[in-house]
Amino acid sequence: MWTGVFPAVTTKFTEDDRLDHAEMERCFALQMQAGCDGIIVCGSLGEGPMLSHDEKIDVLNTAQKIAGGKPVLLTVNEPGTREAAAIARRAAREGANGLMVVPSPIYHTNAAETVAALRAVAEAGDLPVMIYSNRLAYRVDVTVDQMEELAKDKRFVAIKESSDDIRRSTEIINRFGDRYDLFTGVDNLAFEALSVGAIGWVAGLVTAFPRETVAIYQLMKQGRREEALTIYRWFRPLLDLDVSTYLVQNIKLAEVLAINTNDRVRMPRQPLSGERRKTVEKIVRDALAARPELPRF
């Protein structure tokens, strides 16, 4: 059902901490112009847990205006299942194409609780669901066995695999074949995941470097592995910025330098400063100075 590059877009704020819809429209349009295949809003990178439900719906609506009919998914990352079900229902009413659902980031559910919570959200929204499995960030592992339980419900259509274990991708394919659309969710494992059968990439650094991200995906899809690998090796220091406690600030700073936007974040986050900012700026500026010429694909 879903395939390709789906940016996990950042949420843009004004100086007085309101949603900056004009700047989001501009930045989202860059993703579409580069050939991305969908948009995911209000995820970890989109500072979803810092947004009210009304704000999440507003960001969803802004993305829908720009997506040109391509899928727009809303991330469900609420502390409680009741709240998760409520935003899922609202997303459905607003015409979202699907949901990316992560278990509660506050309470670390056991296996039975994880499955029950995911089912409840799917039933509430009655939309296609991408299961977001990220045991490092959220301390809850949606295991292959749990995915098998969820596979009985046709609303679960895709997996964002972010376990940080590349073996998991092959385990999912071996167990389910093409039952799920398998996306990689770890930027600096994307080439590896695409090599072993992932058909999509929920990407972070794509927000600053959309053309390079799409090029890697398309070249891999066409079997042009060496050309993709050349770009990926250049990209790796940037992609490593996605795997960090400061991924939001890192990537927003990359956006400042690459697409001339701002790096405002919502508190308690603050923009990078001091030596950390200098380090990230150097990584991005070095990459920009050596930016590769992209092949036709």
Side-chain angles (χ1 to χ4, degrees), residues 16 49 79 96 100 124 127 138 167 233 252 270:
D16 61 352
M100 184 171 76
L127 289 170
Y138 298 113
R167 293 170 294 190
R233 285 173 173 161
K252 282 194 166 181
Q270 295 185 3

Side-chain angles (χ1 to χ4, degrees), residues 157-188:
V157 301
I159 296 164
K160 178 185 176 185
E161 211 305 282
S162 299
S163 70
D164 205 38
D165 181 354
I166 193 60
R167 293 170 294 190
R168 177 69 67 84
S169 294
T170 297
E171 291 166 5
I172 291 170
I173 293 170
N174 282 351
R175 180 80 68 95
F176 303 111
D178 62 359
R179 164 62 183 82
Y180 288 112
D181 298 332
L182 178 61
F183 281 65
T184 179
V186 182
D187 267 3
N188 62 5

Side-chain angles (χ1 to χ4, degrees), residues 237-239 241 278-288:
L238 291 164
L239 298 177
L241 298 174
K278 290 178 183 178
T279 298
V280 174
E281 279 191 355
K282 184 177 188 308
I283 291 169
V284 179
R285 292 189 189 279
D286 287 351
L288 287 169

Side-chain angles (χ1 to χ4, degrees), residues 139-158:
R139 303 185 189 180
V140 173
D141 189 8
V142 184
T143 66
V144 177
D145 287 342
Q146 291 168 39
M147 293 173 193
E148 185 160 6
E149 288 191 60
L150 295 168
K152 300 168 187 175
D153 186 333
K154 64 182 181 181
R155 287 172 289 213
F156 292 100
V157 301

